[in-house]
Amino acid sequence: MTESLTLVPPAFVVLLAALLLPFASRRVGHGLGLLATAGVSVWSYLVPAGTHLPVRFLGFEAVLFNVDEFSRLMGIIFGLIGAAAVLYSYSSAAENLQTAFALGYVGTSLGAVFAGDWLSMIFFWELMAVTSTLLVWHHGGPAVRAGFRYAIFHGIGGSLFMVAIVWHYVEVGSFLFSATDGLVAGIPATLAALGIGVNVGFVGLHTWLPDTYPRPHVAASVFLSVYTTKTGVYGLYRVFPDGSIAIAYMGAAMAVVGVTYALLQNDMRRLLSYHIQSQVGYMVAGVGIGTALATAGAFAHVYNHILYKALLFMTAGVVISRTGEENLKYLGGLRTGLPITAIAFTAAALAISGFPGFNGFVSKGMITAAAHYEHLTGIYYLLLAAGVGTFMSFIKFGYYAFYRNTDREFSVSTANPGQAIAMLGVAALLVVYGLVPDLLFSILPGSTADAHPFTTSHLLEGFALAGLGLVGFVVLKKPLSKVGAVPDVDAILNPLVFYGTRTVVRGLTETYAAVDRVVASGSYALAGTIVNPYPFLERVARSLDEEDVSVLPGSLQATIGTSILLMVVILGGVLVGVLN
């Protein structure tokens, strides 16, 4: 019995909860979702390594789920934060259908990270894009148009990844991860990097993040901040298990570009969305560096980032729901009206910035140390610069939302009990993993032998980045307050895609219409000739210098009529063949 339960794919448990939730009451449905996600977290921690379920899928040999040190870590944190997000959703008046879409998103993400072969992974990968799009669309309004752009991005990215996997199969003859070490190098790996690059937010492929995540329900944003990008990091590691220097430099660029744009934002969730790109950049850099320490650091940062990023979206959601305001310029002084939210935000801000004593300090330090040990000076300093920008961004966020005095007074109610439990529970983990990192090291893949977060040099580095961030914010506070909307590459990309698509559609439509007109006019003429062939015969007669068709020999009239009838039969046969 225990073995049978072990072999139940965790994704299916959550997907079953998603299917049942719309038909239950809010309390029962959300309770079911919480139990399912929490159960996956516990299952992932306890299930023996090497547990797997071989199947025949679409006629191919596949492994529907496989437990190793990487998938185990992903299952633990995906289930843990899923449970917190379900509790937050219930406490934030999310509808059952919305949470059902969210659980579908969680379940398909679990399917992707527990897959033991490329075919199963791409199957769940594409379903993850579908379920997350439905989660965005459910809110309506501006989320619908953003959801369409999101769907296009991920449709293209998933298609590139799928082509890479098919190419890999042609080369190797198997979809199983065990058949090769990573994806076949060359064009397949390049296509996979581009496809996965959409999910993780490669520079130039990232604009769906700040475009989409600020628009749905505040509880939906909590889920969205977690699964797509981190599943992407996991997929990137599967493609490049030994690293790639180009991927490492792309990660460093993501960290700097993301934090630069984040610093210029006033919309809270847009700021947080750009910081997803920046923080995922650290993970991508770790995967690209490829050493044991870098890989362990990348997945430690996946784990830690999920905790503090979800918490940041929770705190922003409470602020938005209580004040009705998304823009930091119009907020202030909320620490008195929302004390629990302010405490939770402060913990998350210190964690994401890498302040000593919080979990982000541990995982960021592992990645920067790996870059330093490998003498990747450019990557090392780019990541440090991104660290300074992160401190500046969250000093700005906290100052404008919670700590500055303003003439505008907000009469707000504090976070309700469910929201408070979810936020404070996650905040506590930020401190626990920051002060006792061995708890995290015990479940990490890769080697943590060279991870020493509390060395003097590392502590001084953390405090120095914090000091530079504080000074930077004080110096740039006034100029930053005057910055308006800052264009990103989507200012070029979106019109280009829109007008390019419209041009292609119009060109195809007009071409079809022209062909249709030619065929229709020819058909009408042919039908008229068959019904009344005499005008046609008169033209033939005139071409033969005869005055009237009646003077044509009867045999010639019969021959012409037979030819027309034969031509009709032949054309009909061709059409039937084409249609069949």
Side-chain angles (χ1 to χ4, degrees):
M1 180 67 177
T2 303
E3 184 178 353
S4 299
L5 291 175
T6 300
L7 292 177
V8 175
F12 290 3
V13 175
V14 178
L15 291 173
L16 178 61
L19 290 173
L20 295 175
L21 200 150
F23 305 102
S25 66
R26 285 196 74 249
R27 177 173 294 183
V28 171
H30 283 79
L32 183 63
L34 193 153
L35 288 174
T37 48
V40 165
S41 187
V42 175
W43 179 93
S44 300
Y45 182 77
L46 296 176
V47 68
T51 301
H52 64 287
L53 182 62
V55 296
R56 296 290 295 181
F57 181 45
L58 300 178
F60 297 96
E61 186 180 2
V63 177
L64 193 58
F65 80 94
N66 178 63
V67 180
D68 62 12
E69 55 187 353
F70 293 94
S71 59
R72 180 196 301 279
L73 179 84
M74 301 301 289
I76 291 171
I77 190 59
F78 274 10
L80 177 62
I81 206 64
V86 169
L87 176 59
Y88 182 86
S89 294
Y90 176 74
S91 306
S92 301
E95 296 178 5
N96 277 24
L97 184 58
Q98 175 182 303
T99 306
F101 288 144
L103 288 175
Y105 179 34
V106 176
T108 52
S109 301
L110 286 165
V113 298
F114 274 109
D117 65 277
W118 297 109
L119 182 61
S120 299
M121 174 180 270
I122 192 62
F123 175 76
F124 284 109
W125 189 283
E126 297 287 40
L127 287 179
M128 180 178 66
V130 172
T131 51
S132 55
T133 301
L134 293 173
L135 179 58
V136 174
W137 276 343
H138 178 266
H139 194 55
V144 175
R145 291 177 67 88
F148 273 111
R149 292 189 289 270
Y150 176 92
I152 290 170
F153 262 104
H154 290 279
I156 293 172
S159 298
L160 290 172
F161 193 19
M162 187 185 299
V163 170
I165 289 171
V166 172
W167 196 314
H168 171 88
Y169 179 81
V170 171
E171 294 282 340
V172 175
S174 174
F175 287 114
L176 299 178
F177 289 159
S178 58
T180 57
D181 188 23
L183 213 63
V184 169
I187 295 177
T190 302
L191 291 173
L194 290 173
I196 297 171
V198 173
N199 279 49
V200 299
F202 278 2
V203 177
L205 303 177
H206 66 279
T207 55
W208 61 269
L209 273 163
D211 180 38
T212 307
Y213 286 5
R215 301 182 190 274
H217 190 279
V218 292
S221 291
V222 176
F223 286 98
L224 291 165
S225 72
V226 172
Y227 293 96
T228 297
T229 48
K230 309 326 169 295
T231 303
V233 173
Y234 174 85
L236 200 64
Y237 167 75
R238 289 296 185 190
V239 175
F240 300 100
D242 299 320
S244 163
I245 193 63
I247 295 294
Y249 274 101
M250 173 57 78
M254 290 166 59
V256 174
V257 170
V259 78
T260 301
Y261 271 98
L263 190 57
L264 300 173
Q265 305 305 311
N266 290 307
D267 181 294
M268 286 181 286
R269 287 192 288 175
R270 191 170 171 84
L271 183 154
L272 295 177
S273 299
Y274 271 114
H275 263 294
I276 293 176
Q277 183 198 19
S278 179
Q279 295 298 304
V280 171
Y282 283 85
M283 306 167 206
V284 170
V287 170
I289 293 170
T291 63
L293 177 61
T295 300
F299 280 88
H301 209 53
V302 166
Y303 193 98
N304 288 336
H305 177 266
I306 286 172
L307 291 171
Y308 59 64
K309 182 59 68 174
L311 180 54
L312 286 166
F313 271 95
M314 288 181 192
T315 58
V318 172
V319 171
I320 293 166
S321 62
R322 297 302 188 273
T323 65
E325 184 57 67
E326 300 250 11
N327 196 310
L328 289 169
K329 286 185 176 181
Y330 307 116
L331 294 170
L334 291 175
R335 68 187 183 280
T336 56
L338 299 172
I340 293 175
T341 306
I343 292 169
F345 167 81
T346 302
L350 291 170
I352 192 174
S353 300
F355 193 78
F358 293 85
N359 65 343
F361 172 74
V362 175
S363 51
K364 278 188 172 184
M366 294 169 71
I367 298 168
T368 55
H372 181 68
Y373 293 156
E374 294 301 305
H375 307 291
L376 298 171
T377 307
I379 293 174
Y380 175 73
Y381 282 110
L382 284 172
L383 295 180
L384 290 184
V388 175
T390 304
F391 271 108
M392 292 174 65
S393 296
F394 286 96
I395 292 171
K396 170 185 173 177
F397 192 132
Y399 171 76
Y400 281 104
F402 296 103
Y403 296 106
R404 72 163 173 166
N405 295 319
T406 178
D407 295 334
R408 185 177 180 184
E409 294 185 2
F410 292 95
S411 178
V412 295
S413 57
T414 188
N416 62 44
Q419 292 172 325
I421 291 171
M423 291 190 295
L424 292 179
V426 175
L429 291 176
L430 306 184
V431 179
V432 169
Y433 286 123
L435 295 177
V436 192
D438 285 344
L439 293 174
L440 178 59
F441 292 166
S442 66
I443 57 174
L444 283 181
S447 172
T448 59
D450 295 324
H452 305 294
F454 299 123
T455 61
T456 302
S457 61
H458 189 202
L459 288 168
L460 289 176
E461 181 180 277
F463 288 122
L465 294 178
L468 290 172
L470 179 60
V471 171
F473 175 71
V474 171
V475 172
L476 296 177
K477 174 176 171 291
K478 189 171 183 179
L480 286 173
S481 67
K482 298 179 180 179
V483 174
V486 181
D488 202 341
V489 293
D490 56 352
I492 299 172
L493 195 59
N494 287 350
L496 183 65
V497 171
F498 175 77
Y499 288 110
T501 303
R502 188 169 72 171
T503 300
V504 170
V505 170
R506 283 185 173 178
L508 291 174
T509 303
E510 292 299 326
T511 302
Y512 176 83
V515 172
D516 182 69
R517 286 193 295 270
V518 170
V519 172
S521 60
S523 299
Y524 285 133
L526 181 60
T529 301
I530 294 171
V531 173
N532 182 17
Y534 290 101
F536 172 74
L537 295 177
E538 287 176 353
R539 289 195 295 274
V540 173
R542 283 195 295 271
S543 68
L544 296 175
D545 294 329
E546 298 290 348
E547 292 184 355
D548 193 275
V549 68
S550 60
V551 302
L552 287 172
S555 59
L556 181 58
Q557 294 183 38
T559 300
I560 293 173
T562 303
S563 299
I564 293 172
L565 182 60
L566 181 61
M567 182 171 61
V568 171
V569 171
I570 292 172
L571 287 174
V574 171
L575 287 174
V576 169
V578 169
L579 292 175
N580 288 333

